[in-house]
Amino acid sequence: MTADEGAESARQANIGGAVLQVVGRVIAVVCWASAPVLPALAVFGDLHWAWSLFFPLMVLSGYAIWSDTAEAKADTARLRQSGRPAVAEIVAAERVDPGDGSADTSVLTLRISGADVPVFEAVYRCDHEDRFRVGARFEAVVDPSDNLFTLIPL
């Protein structure tokens, strides 16, 4: 396997603890519960009918939040069960300004390896920090079955 193939097959884990899981599920339920309110207000209240078009947006937002929370729960559980310690070395780093006034992000190309982890390259996206420089090394956790990985301590 070449480094490019490894980068294509590696996936940055979506990590979340119990609090994130509860908050994510609550927000999804609130989206779903509030979705019928807008059409009801349009029919029975003083709300313009165009606001009822937010109904599908609220339903889809709830689904997206629920799915993201479920993925974080599954990824976290999988890395806790099957994860192996590894070292991630930054081989390329790019600072990206999203252009919307939010904080800069870093797009890091990592070379990850460990005692039970074959060497592979991966792309890692996160909030920018000055410590993200080429050559820096960080502890990682990897599921070697498909190179699911994170730099977040579990």
Side-chain angles (χ1 to χ4, degrees):
M1 172 170 43
T2 68
D4 289 339
E5 290 170 351
E8 291 172 8
S9 67
R11 182 171 70 86
Q12 178 178 341
N14 188 351
I15 302 297
V19 172
L20 177 68
Q21 292 170 25
V22 170
V23 169
R25 306 271 179 178
V26 167
I27 292 172
V29 170
V30 167
C31 284
W32 291 329
S34 64
V37 171
L38 294 173
L41 285 174
V43 171
F44 302 111
D46 294 331
L47 192 64
H48 190 272
W49 68 269
W51 282 99
S52 65
L53 298 176
F54 279 97
F55 175 83
L57 179 65
M58 296 301 285
V59 171
L60 291 174
S61 295
Y63 176 74
I65 293 167
W66 189 277
S67 297
D68 190 52
T69 302
E71 180 184 47
K73 180 180 180 181
D75 285 355
T76 302
R78 194 168 128 206
L79 285 176
R80 283 187 175 144
Q81 179 180 1
S82 305
R84 303 287 181 261
V87 174
E89 179 181 357
I90 299 175
V91 294
E94 179 183 1
R95 183 176 185 165
V96 178
D97 178 2
D100 59 3
S102 61
D104 290 353
T105 59
S106 288
V107 179
L108 310 173
T109 302
L110 306 172
R111 182 174 299 117
I112 301 175
S113 62
D116 297 329
V117 179
V119 178
F120 67 94
E121 286 196 4
V123 175
Y124 187 77
R125 291 171 178 79
C126 57
D127 291 338
H128 176 74
E129 295 181 29
D130 289 333
R131 64 189 182 124
F132 296 141
R133 300 182 191 278
V134 174
R137 293 174 172 246
F138 300 94
E139 292 181 9
V141 179
V142 178
D143 181 351
S145 66
D146 66 351
N147 295 339
L148 176 70
F149 73 98
T150 187
L151 301 183
I152 298 171
L154 296 177

